[in-house]
Amino acid sequence: MSAGGTREGGDLAGQSLMGTYRQPPAVFVRGEGTLLFDAAGRRYLDFLSGIAVTSLGHAHPVVADALAAQARKLLHVSNLYGNELAPEVAATIDRLLGGGSHLAGRVFFANSGAEANECAIKLARRWAGPGRHVVVSAWGSFHGRTLATLHATGQPAKHAPYEPLPVGFEHVAYGDVDDLRRAVDPVRVAGVLLEPIQGEAGVVDPPPGYLRAVRDLCSERGVLMMVDEVQTGLGRTGRWFGFEHSEVAPDVVTLAKALGNGFPVGACWAREEVAEAFGLGDHGTTFGGQPLAMAAVRATLETMEAEQVPERARRAGGRLAEGLCAMAGIDRVRGRGLLLGAVLALPAAPDVEAAALRRGLVVNALGSDTIRLAPPLLVSDEEVDEAVEILGDALAEVALGGNE
Ligand SMILES: *Cc1c(COP(=O)(O)O)cnc(C)c1O
């Protein structure tokens, strides 16, 4: 800092931001559908969608118009009062979760995935009663960055700097039914919280039959089956929700990322008897469920239904997976629909991410050997083919040892 307390050249490098994220390799100023543009006007294909957030693409006109109109009409009222949109949006979520017929479950609106999971954890404790407060989740999972959801997150390296973490969280090996059977002690455990596909862990699919077995075990032991659909939900995997691939009915479902197509919003749904555990004043939020967020969600879900996004994701995902599987340097492809993890033959994912970005393709490295691809669900065949070509070039460049 200079003597005058200001930084040389303003703050274009972001020195005024806390250093929790790396120096950005690109700064985007505008988007349209699958495309992003930087300040120099350079075009990029966005095959990450803000980590499975902008599922309808950037600047979708229906969502943009709904936000603009609502901003002029009513931005915010306290949850001490009602708003016209929240009940309708909650009913839509309930209907989508029921595969088209209402389940009569209830929704609490929050502002993020972590908050949606906080709501699920608190609800499970309230539902189970004093003493039965443990939530069992999986190693490798990701559930958020608040202290409680950080502990639910099964990544010890992320825990270490923040200990002691809130008590009441235990972890099992993802996909291992025997481990879960050992962990789910009905005297202490309120619920099990799992992702239907582990996103941050590298797009990891559970073994066939796992979620079915989890459902059976939870029913047998009388604990809640809670599914974190924050990344997998809303068409991304080729069904409306990731749990549908296993034909199970969870007790609690959390949503966020794609729910507002980029507007920050989260939701925790629970079936009626579980939701009733929350009484007046048991949970709350200033911003959750505000009119602006609800306008974004209503427009997003309406468009998703009109566009039949699960079907779109299934088709485009098939094309993308096929292109990836045929590519030299890719060992195998994990995931479903348009949530894919390409496992590289070389542990060079960060280099491949950087090489792809230089060539105008946004993807993201998970660990050392996986590239995550999560384009908008409305992505075109031509865009899929172009992305496959760019990624192939990036892989070839890295394999040849090039890095500039
Ligand atoms: C991103 C994510 C979260 C956290 O969402 P935030 O909005 O960042 O709090 C929780 N669970 C899963 C599965 C996620 O992918």
Side-chain angles (χ1 to χ4, degrees):
M1 234 195 268
S2 71
T6 57
R7 294 186 176 89
E8 306 291 336
D11 190 30
L12 293 176
Q15 294 104 321
S16 299
L17 297 171
M18 289 196 190
T20 54
Y21 285 93
R22 64 180 176 185
Q23 278 298 313
V27 177
F28 303 117
V29 298
R30 187 167 71 80
E32 191 187 328
T34 307
L35 303 180
L36 282 171
F37 299 89
D38 65 17
R42 210 168 149 228
R43 167 188 178 276
Y44 298 79
L45 277 175
D46 184 2
F47 268 52
L48 186 57
S49 312
I51 311 188
V53 170
T54 51
S55 281
L56 297 176
H58 296 287
H60 192 284
V62 176
V63 181
D65 288 350
L67 277 167
Q70 189 62 43
R72 282 190 296 267
K73 188 177 176 195
L74 183 68
L75 259 188
H76 176 87
V77 283
S78 165
N79 279 315
L80 297 173
Y81 308 95
N83 74 65
E84 331 180 77
L85 301 170
E88 177 195 331
V89 173
T92 303
I93 290 173
D94 184 68
R95 171 170 57 75
L96 292 174
L97 281 163
S101 37
H102 284 283
L103 295 170
R106 297 189 193 166
V107 176
F108 181 91
F109 286 112
N111 307 289
S112 66
E115 280 185 41
N117 285 330
E118 283 275 346
C119 177
I121 293 161
K122 289 177 75 175
L123 181 63
R125 289 188 177 195
R126 196 79 180 83
W127 172 83
R132 237 183 104 196
H133 59 262
V134 172
V135 168
V136 176
S137 57
W139 294 118
S141 64
F142 186 81
H143 298 295
R145 299 281 200 158
T146 62
L147 284 170
T149 59
L150 178 63
H151 204 179
T153 292
Q155 301 183 45
K158 288 192 168 73
H159 297 166
Y162 300 105
E163 281 163 358
L165 290 169
V167 296
F169 296 90
E170 294 177 12
H171 303 92
V172 295
Y174 188 63
D176 183 337
V177 183
D178 290 332
D179 205 18
L180 195 64
R181 196 167 285 126
R182 274 190 295 274
V184 177
D185 165 9
V187 178
R188 299 182 308 114
V189 172
V192 172
L193 176 65
L194 293 169
E195 297 160 272
I197 294 174
Q198 288 192 325
E200 299 310 298
V203 190
V204 176
D205 308 280
Y210 179 60
L211 289 187
R212 178 78 260 165
V214 172
R215 174 69 276 179
D216 291 346
L217 182 71
C218 288
S219 300
E220 187 188 305
R221 305 258 166 111
V223 308
L224 298 179
M225 179 185 187
M226 306 194 285
V227 177
D228 181 342
E229 293 271 2
V230 168
Q231 188 161 157
T232 49
L234 303 171
R236 173 63 52 191
T237 67
R239 303 287 299 263
W240 276 104
F241 302 98
F243 67 77
E244 289 180 289
H245 294 286
S246 310
E247 279 160 26
V248 294
D251 301 303
V252 176
V253 177
T254 55
L255 297 170
K257 292 200 162 90
L259 189 56
N261 203 48
F263 192 91
V265 55
C268 174
W269 172 95
R271 65 182 173 80
E272 193 172 18
E273 309 87 270
V274 177
E276 278 170 356
F278 269 166
L280 269 183
D282 277 349
H283 194 39
T285 167
T286 295
F287 291 119
Q290 59 165 303
L292 192 63
M294 295 297 96
V297 178
R298 184 169 68 170
T300 300
L301 295 180
E302 267 175 19
T303 308
M304 284 181 159
E305 289 200 85
E307 296 279 2
Q308 301 182 303
V309 288
E311 177 64 32
R312 298 278 301 252
R314 204 155 48 232
R315 264 196 300 120
R319 189 180 185 96
L320 179 57
E322 211 171 283
L324 296 171
C325 286
M327 200 179 284
I330 293 181
D331 254 4
R332 63 203 141 91
V333 176
R334 293 190 294 236
R336 282 176 183 271
L338 284 174
L339 182 60
L340 297 177
V343 184
L344 309 181
L346 291 172
D351 293 338
V352 172
E353 175 191 312
L357 188 69
R358 285 194 299 273
R359 292 166 182 274
L361 174 67
V362 179
V363 292
N364 126 280
L366 290 168
S368 60
D369 72 350
T370 304
I371 293 288
R372 170 170 45 195
L373 298 106
L377 308 183
L378 306 184
V379 68
S380 70
D381 287 353
E382 294 71 30
E383 289 165 338
V384 167
D385 296 347
E386 189 186 344
V388 167
E389 196 180 317
I390 296 174
L391 191 64
D393 292 346
L395 273 164
E397 178 192 320
V398 171
L400 290 172
N403 55 12
E404 274 317 314

